[in-house]
Amino acid sequence: MSDFYLGLRQKVGTDLLLMPGVAAVIHDEAGHVLIQRRHDGSWSLPAGAIEPGEPPARAVVREVFEETGLRVRPTKVLGIFGGEEYRSAYPNGDRVEHVVMLFLCTRVEGTLEAIDGESAELRWFWPGEVPPLATEYPRDLLRADGAPTSTLFDWDESWLG
């Protein structure tokens, strides 16, 4: 956790925080998607929080490198996701609700290895064989050939009143 979020937690305790975040869909040459297993056994896309003053695209480059050892270039925003389905609590009781910008990224260079110790395992999966993720996204977004032509976001006509 960054100094910014540690300081914020010291002020608000375990109360619910709305946290901006990023996640990355990265494919290898064959079309597999990179998934990480965290130390609690859950699986996820490489992802993390956006720091104050940090553009989201830079945050995804930083997070991917820290968690996977890969340098990537974000090429497209696949979707923006948030709401109650993206609310969770950490084992220490900290409650968060994420607003996540999901990026499609291409690998530029690097060797697959967990740099920051957050990943217990890094593995390439066929998109149809990805295990349940701690934070789920529309599964079509994980396919190398399934990227939508426009950015996805949740919408409900009843929100218009």
Side-chain angles (χ1 to χ4, degrees):
M1 187 181 296
S2 73
D3 290 341
F4 172 77
Y5 288 109
L6 282 173
L8 197 52
R9 278 292 174 203
Q10 288 174 352
K11 294 174 184 169
V12 301
T14 60
D15 287 352
L16 181 67
L17 289 179
L18 188 63
M19 291 184 69
V22 292
V25 174
I26 307 161
H27 297 104
D28 67 7
E29 303 77 26
H32 298 98
V33 63
L34 182 60
I35 306 294
Q36 67 176 345
R37 187 174 55 79
R38 298 193 179 263
H39 293 284
D40 66 2
S42 66
W43 292 92
S44 72
L45 294 171
I50 299 171
E51 297 296 328
E54 186 177 39
R58 185 174 183 180
V60 78
V61 169
R62 176 184 52 79
E63 285 290 344
V64 169
F65 179 73
E66 290 173 359
E67 295 180 1
T68 72
L70 301 179
R71 295 281 183 198
V72 297
R73 175 176 288 112
T75 58
K76 185 178 198 175
V77 174
L78 294 173
I80 303 168
F81 303 94
E84 287 188 38
E85 307 89 72
Y86 297 88
R87 190 177 290 182
S88 61
Y90 289 98
N92 67 357
D94 289 352
R95 293 179 298 137
V96 296
E97 184 174 308
H98 297 278
V99 176
V100 181
M101 285 163 261
L102 181 62
F103 286 90
L104 179 63
C105 297
T106 58
R107 182 177 179 173
V108 175
E109 64 182 8
T111 303
L112 199 58
E113 63 176 308
I115 302 291
D116 66 3
E118 284 189 38
S119 301
E121 179 183 358
L122 297 163
R123 202 156 119 198
W124 298 99
F125 286 91
W126 287 112
E129 297 174 358
V130 170
L133 301 176
T135 301
E136 285 290 351
Y137 302 97
R139 287 295 174 124
D140 284 351
L141 298 179
L142 302 182
R143 296 187 1 235
D145 64 348
T149 56
S150 62
T151 303
L152 294 182
F153 53 91
D154 292 329
W155 179 251
D156 184 323
E157 286 295 320
S158 69
W159 297 339
L160 293 175

